[in-house]
Amino acid sequence: MSPTLTPPPTPFGAPMRKHFLMDPAYKNLNHGSFGTHPRTLQHTLREYQTAAESRTDPFIRRTQPALLDESRRQIAQYLNVPTSTCVFVKNATTGVDTVLHNLPLGEGDVIVYFATVYGAVEKGLVSLAERRPGLGLRRVEYNFPVGHAELVEGFEDVVGKVREEGGKVKAAVFDTVVSNPGVRFPFEKLVGVCRREGILSIVDGAHGVGMIPLDLGALKPDFFTSNCHKWLYVPRSCAVLHVPHHNQHLIRTTLPTSWGFIPGPTSPTTAPSPVESDGDEKTPFERLFEFVATADDTPYLCVPAALRFRRDVCGGEDAIYAYLERLAREGADVVAAALGTDVLQERGLRGGEESLVRACGMGTVRLPVAVAVSGGGDGGTAAAGINGDDRVRGVKIEADEAPTVTKWMQDTLIDKYGTFVPVFEHGGWLWVRLSAQVYLERKDFEWLGGVLREVCGSLRAKYRANL
């Protein structure tokens, strides 16, 4: 249903912007939070929505299931797993919560997760523990900068301590790329540790599909979910949930429970789904997610068009991955230089050694704003010249002022400068997270560096408390 896309590929950077819907007066430097989709995908989405409204029952009962199967087939091929292991949910948070809701967890079981887990996922874990008496939660506590080896070691240490205390680590939740700070996580190694230790791995790949190469056939996680509306250019809301065949018996209900619910052996018989089956050989797991209440699921149907855009207009997956990582590194370096601060990465990298945590499409840069911690200290080097650069004078704020300052900075970026980057506290400093994208280039980050200098200068005048 989508229009034919014609090569040659469009060069990345400013020439690519014509394909997207952004206001020319707005610089979208925060693709990572909500994503965006090209004009051609908007056309595809509206065609499906029009078809749904034109002949609602035939479309939802007959046409949509077939289109959904093709989308599942293509996303499964993209991830190198069988089609029957992939379904769609509204977003990655829904995917993680669906898995957790279904797992048989109880007295003595423990779920391990990391301090930088996505906030909504942590709230879901706490909510789950409230409903499951005896279920324990353990956080792997740390602050960046740390390396991948330290993160894996911290995870193994927590698992060992839980077992020493008599608990059983049943599952672990961790990211492919952390939301804040925007860094790549050692998810491949953590999946391996979970497999070795008999722990169910739940990989939150919210920032994954479309940003970094993923081969789930080789990785073999127990559960994996990732947004398609962030980095893959699918319209909101669309996320893939992958559950390998050997774990599908654990997933018996969607959120909310709907027509595909798989009752237990002693449960009463339930009504059949309103979606027609046409005698296909889908698994109960596939049927479970085929129709979850009445909602606009047409974004799910846009996956093939998004993949086609990436191939024909962008030049393919490898070209996109390489550009995102290169621009994220370059852009973060440019902004850090403008601020006289640094980019979040491992400690002690030697000359020519590339950061593993920066091997993704986002970068995190420290602002010259220290946040006082309990006891009157601050978050690191508190001096007039941060990292030896006295061009940028810093400011120190109290911990209870951080939320107000963060909001003021973000509001200022929107209202005065027509852009947005997340500002957040971590390890005693304020930081900004930058998102690379095919419609951005170095000049955009040079501009942002100047903007952030001005904003930090205004903040310094406002507080009159220089480092």
Side-chain angles (χ1 to χ4, degrees):
M1 298 180 67
S2 59
T4 301
L5 301 173
T6 57
T10 301
F12 294 146
M16 186 64 73
R17 291 174 195 165
K18 66 184 179 183
H19 295 294
F20 288 84
L21 297 156
M22 275 94 65
D23 183 342
Y26 184 81
K27 286 188 182 294
N28 188 16
L29 300 171
N30 184 36
H31 186 101
S33 281
F34 306 113
T36 192
H37 56 270
R39 296 178 186 278
T40 183
L41 266 294
Q42 183 188 59
H43 180 79
T44 300
L45 177 67
R46 288 178 174 174
E47 280 193 323
Y48 286 134
Q49 290 172 331
T50 298
E53 301 312 311
S54 299
R55 294 171 58 83
T56 303
D57 275 276
F59 184 86
I60 293 178
R61 294 175 186 272
R62 294 179 179 176
T63 306
Q64 183 167 282
L67 294 170
L68 186 63
D69 287 347
E70 179 58 20
S71 285
R72 292 194 307 110
R73 186 190 69 80
Q74 291 202 27
I75 197 67
Q77 183 179 47
Y78 180 93
L79 295 170
N80 190 32
V81 289
T83 301
S84 54
T85 66
C86 289
V87 294
F88 290 111
V89 293
K90 290 303 179 184
N91 54 56
T93 302
T94 304
V96 172
D97 206 33
T98 299
V99 172
L100 293 171
H101 183 81
N102 277 278
L103 293 183
L105 301 165
E107 186 72 36
D109 290 335
V110 175
I111 300 175
V112 176
Y113 64 100
F114 287 80
T116 50
V117 70
Y118 186 58
V121 170
E122 183 172 37
K123 291 180 183 294
L125 286 164
V126 172
S127 174
L128 180 69
E130 289 180 354
R131 303 192 309 271
R132 302 283 181 92
L135 174 64
L137 303 177
R138 292 290 291 272
R139 288 197 349 165
V140 181
E141 300 289 351
Y142 71 97
N143 280 317
F144 284 106
V146 296
H148 281 187
E150 295 171 88
L151 290 165
V152 174
E153 182 179 348
F155 175 73
E156 292 174 325
D157 287 346
V158 169
V159 169
K161 289 176 182 176
V162 169
R163 289 174 175 169
E164 289 174 4
E165 296 165 1
K168 179 182 180 182
V169 180
K170 192 70 174 286
V173 180
F174 47 88
D175 303 280
T176 52
V177 176
V178 176
S179 179
N180 283 331
V183 296
R184 183 164 176 153
F185 222 57
F187 64 95
E188 301 97 333
K189 292 182 179 178
L190 289 168
V191 167
V193 172
C194 287
R195 186 179 304 115
R196 183 189 72 214
E197 300 295 334
I199 300 168
L200 292 172
S201 56
I202 305 172
V203 182
D204 179 1
H207 299 277
V209 167
M211 186 216 276
I212 59 175
L214 291 166
D215 183 345
L216 300 190
L219 182 62
K220 294 182 169 54
D222 288 300
F223 303 96
F224 175 91
T225 186
S226 182
N227 290 316
C228 298
H229 59 250
K230 285 185 184 284
W231 299 89
L232 198 69
Y233 312 145
V234 176
R236 289 178 295 272
S237 293
C238 175
V240 60
L241 172 61
H242 163 69
V243 181
H245 293 129
H246 63 271
N247 284 331
Q248 290 185 3
H249 68 283
L250 296 171
I251 309 298
R252 296 176 47 230
T253 183
T254 55
L255 294 180
T257 299
S258 195
W259 291 97
F261 170 68
I262 304 170
T266 60
S267 300
T269 302
T270 58
S273 170
V275 175
E276 297 182 8
S277 65
D278 291 331
D280 57 45
E281 298 180 354
K282 292 177 188 171
T283 66
F285 172 74
E286 293 174 279
R287 285 286 178 208
L288 178 62
F289 291 87
E290 194 166 49
F291 183 80
V292 181
T294 299
D296 182 3
D297 291 341
T298 52
Y300 299 171
L301 313 181
C302 296
V303 168
L307 292 174
R308 188 163 55 248
F309 175 87
R310 293 167 68 85
R311 181 190 67 228
D312 295 345
V313 177
C314 298
E317 298 300 314
D318 290 343
I320 295 172
Y321 300 147
Y323 186 77
L324 293 183
E325 182 176 341
R326 183 171 64 252
L327 183 60
R329 290 180 185 268
E330 184 177 11
D333 289 342
V334 164
V335 172
L339 295 174
T341 61
D342 45 43
V343 181
L344 192 151
Q345 60 185 24
E346 303 91 328
R347 298 185 189 93
L349 289 179
R350 299 171 182 173
E353 185 179 5
E354 286 198 343
S355 167
L356 295 178
V357 301
R358 294 180 65 181
C360 63
M362 296 194 293
T364 301
V365 176
R366 181 165 60 87
L367 294 173
V369 183
V371 181
V373 297
S374 58
D378 56 63
T381 304
I386 298 173
N387 277 2
D389 188 341
D390 59 6
R391 295 174 303 147
V392 181
R393 299 174 67 194
V395 61
K396 181 169 70 176
I397 62 175
E398 298 300 319
D400 61 359
E401 295 172 317
T404 300
V405 170
T406 295
K407 183 179 186 305
W408 175 82
M409 295 185 80
Q410 293 182 153
D411 287 346
T412 300
L413 288 170
I414 292 175
D415 298 335
K416 184 176 180 179
Y417 296 99
T419 192
F420 184 92
V421 288
V423 181
F424 58 94
E425 188 275 334
H426 182 81
W429 293 94
L430 291 189
W431 302 77
V432 291
R433 188 194 74 189
L434 316 177
S435 295
Q437 197 42 256
V438 296
Y439 49 74
L440 297 173
E441 56 191 34
R442 180 189 174 97
K443 290 181 180 178
D444 297 307
F445 294 96
E446 292 173 345
W447 173 84
L448 178 64
V451 166
L452 291 174
R453 282 177 66 104
E454 291 182 10
V455 172
C456 290
S458 298
L459 179 68
R460 186 170 60 249
K462 184 182 181 69
Y463 275 78
R464 300 181 182 277
N466 298 330
L467 291 179

